[in-house]
Amino acid sequence: MASIEFKNVTKSFGDSTVIKDLDLTIEDGKFTVLVGPSGCGKTTLLRMIAGLDPQTSGAVLIGGKDMSQVPPGQRGVALVFQNYALYPTMSVRENIEFALKNNKVSKEERSKLVESISATVGLSEYLERKPSTLSGGQRQRVALARAMVKKPSVFLMDEPLSNLDAKLRVHMRIELIELHKKLGSTFVYVTHDQVEAMSMADTIVLMNNGEIQQEASPERIYHEPNNLFTAQFVGVPPMNTAPLGNDGISFGFRPEAAVLTRSGTDAWFQFKGVIMTREMLGSETIYQVKGKRYTFMIKCYEDLFKVDEPVYVGVEAEHLSFFGTDEKRIEKSVSGYQEYLDLLRSQGDE
Ligand SMILES: Nc1ncnc2c1ncn2[C@@H]1O[C@H](COP(=O)(O)OP(=O)(O)OP(=O)(O)O)[C@@H](O)[C@H]1O
Ligand SMILES: [Mg+2]
């Protein structure tokens, strides 16, 4: 097992700098998810850990040891990619034991390892089959087993589930969480899907443009986003936000934090609007409500309203967030917070 540290790491390709002065510690034994929009530098970070594409400056440490002079094969890391190319002519067993054969592990030892690992990932009955006869999820498990057989202290996974259909993806998510529990090794998992990140991570590292926006537990990221970017990246739909007056301050609230009523309530912030769209998703319904100033998405657990129906949107003070001109979230303890609350209250109910 091993922690991973980035110390003042910069990565450039030619004269374009993708990551600048990055400091990050990924804890030993945790399931850490790197998440962020396409092109933000997630794969670049993973490749630096693996040693496939070393940093331009700064240091990457694994288990406290500087990896600058350590080649990829000796870092104790295993990679699982989105396109986990299995050898098509080899059986599942041969695919899994390939690396062991190369490392001259004895036949007896090999088959012991393959049996135990394929049992862990639920592949025991498929060992003699060819990859082409397996489902996507089963192939995914072969790729995992192939990585596990090397007994890595660090697992690096780059969007490993993105080729699977939605149902299988949810299933594999749970399998990966269980696998992590069983192995207890450090998992670093890359995705651009925030739902995947929220559901699997001990710690989320949310990136944008090569910079870390926030590093925290899923709960914290959701309820205490550092800034507007985080607030709007996480959640389905994301946080509703809008300018508060004209001085660059904005406010926001989560779609499920609002209450819709026909006759209004005494909520702190309230405005009158009309239901523009309605999406019934089974256990919840998402309404788009348009008022004079605002259009927001509201999530309800009861499906009580119709399109074109007039409604009141009410949000209590404790569910409101405010963001400064620097787009950072303003803490409730900051003096002047009450003034933001009062200003917003005065803008409601039109
Ligand atoms: N070999 C390379 N040469 C030049 N630029 C590169 C190279 N590899 C990556 N980049 C650039 O670095 C930036 C980060 O790329 P990276 O692949 O890390 O993004 P990502 O977060 O993994 O995105 P995605 O979610 O689309 O996989 C991108 O702007 C990309 O164009
Ligand atoms: Mg990538």
Side-chain angles (χ1 to χ4, degrees):
M1 278 182 257
S3 65
I4 301 160
E5 284 168 83
F6 285 85
K7 287 194 168 163
N8 201 24
V9 166
T10 293
K11 174 72 188 171
S12 308
F13 295 103
D15 48 12
S16 99
T17 298
V18 175
I19 286 164
K20 199 168 178 327
D21 304 333
L22 180 105
D23 286 302
L24 171 66
T25 300
I26 293 171
E27 275 182 76
D28 178 20
K30 287 276 165 67
F31 199 132
T32 297
V33 177
L34 304 179
V35 66
S38 183
C40 73
K42 306 180 294 293
T43 298
T44 304
L45 277 193
L46 272 201
R47 292 175 64 83
M48 288 195 278
I49 300 172
L52 295 175
D53 212 346
Q55 66 275 15
T56 310
S57 65
V60 177
L61 285 67
I62 299 178
K65 194 166 165 253
D66 191 328
M67 289 289 119
S68 305
Q69 304 303 324
V70 183
Q74 287 165 31
R75 292 188 175 200
V77 308
L79 271 157
V80 181
F81 284 113
Q82 174 180 351
N83 303 310
Y84 37 88
L86 302 175
Y87 302 110
T89 57
M90 293 184 192
S91 67
V92 169
R93 177 192 298 279
E94 288 164 333
N95 263 283
I96 298 173
E97 69 178 357
F98 185 73
L100 298 175
K101 250 182 175 164
N102 273 355
N103 286 347
K104 311 241 177 337
V105 178
S106 75
K107 192 166 180 208
E108 197 186 345
E109 182 74 3
R110 273 191 337 243
S111 60
K112 237 183 15 213
L113 263 171
V114 171
E115 312 275 313
S116 94
I117 282 166
S118 42
T120 307
V121 297
L123 279 176
S124 302
E125 39 183 316
Y126 304 102
L127 283 175
E128 309 316 324
R129 304 242 302 244
K130 292 276 161 59
S132 60
T133 71
L134 300 178
S135 74
Q138 290 160 345
R139 282 181 221 177
Q140 182 65 60
R141 281 182 262 161
V142 179
L144 281 171
R146 207 170 53 172
M148 282 165 65
V149 84
K150 297 183 214 157
K151 297 244 168 92
S153 49
V154 175
F155 265 96
L156 305 175
M157 287 176 259
D158 196 351
E159 312 235 8
L161 306 186
S162 55
N163 284 338
L164 306 181
D165 72 41
K167 203 167 164 192
L168 196 49
R169 213 177 316 149
V170 172
H171 176 69
M172 287 302 296
R173 270 192 334 225
I174 294 163
E175 291 204 355
L176 281 176
I177 296 169
E178 285 173 357
L179 183 65
H180 173 252
K181 228 200 241 158
K182 247 188 246 174
L183 300 178
S185 36
T186 308
F187 275 39
V188 187
Y189 185 99
V190 162
T191 179
H192 61 264
D193 179 349
Q194 52 98 13
V195 176
E196 215 166 273
M198 295 290 283
S199 70
M200 297 202 288
D202 292 319
T203 304
I204 292 179
V205 177
L206 176 54
M207 298 178 57
N208 191 32
N209 289 330
E211 283 176 17
I212 296 173
Q213 302 293 314
Q214 189 161 0
E215 181 196 346
S217 67
E219 295 77 18
R220 187 115 195 224
I221 291 249
Y222 192 77
H223 293 292
E224 296 169 45
N226 272 352
N227 56 34
L228 266 179
F229 179 85
T230 306
Q232 291 171 336
F233 191 81
V234 172
V236 190
M239 187 182 275
N240 290 301
T241 59
L244 172 75
N246 298 320
D247 53 3
I249 308 283
S250 39
F251 74 98
F253 60 91
R254 292 280 173 201
E256 69 279 13
V259 176
L260 291 187
T261 52
R262 292 199 167 86
S263 50
T265 61
D266 58 359
W268 184 269
F269 168 60
Q270 182 160 268
F271 71 93
K272 210 166 146 182
V274 173
I275 307 244
M276 303 300 289
T277 60
R278 164 182 166 271
E279 293 169 75
M280 219 294 284
L281 302 176
S283 60
E284 63 206 36
T285 303
I286 295 166
Y287 301 101
Q288 183 184 199
V289 181
K290 188 172 188 304
K292 238 190 240 158
R293 286 183 202 231
Y294 312 108
T295 301
F296 289 139
M297 306 301 284
I298 311 296
K299 189 192 278 189
C300 297
Y301 296 98
E302 278 182 298
D303 182 28
L304 299 175
F305 304 96
K306 293 196 226 28
V307 172
D308 291 334
E309 197 173 333
V311 285
Y312 285 90
V313 175
V315 188
E316 293 301 346
E318 77 234 42
H319 296 309
L320 293 163
S321 296
F322 294 92
F323 301 89
T325 48
D326 57 1
E327 303 201 342
K328 294 215 169 88
R329 190 169 57 87
I330 300 168
E331 293 289 339
K332 290 194 163 85
S333 56
V334 164
S335 70
Y337 193 86
Q338 187 61 40
E339 284 162 42
Y340 297 132
L341 277 176
D342 290 341
L343 181 56
L344 183 60
R345 187 175 175 97
S346 73
Q347 292 184 1
D349 210 11
E350 290 181 32

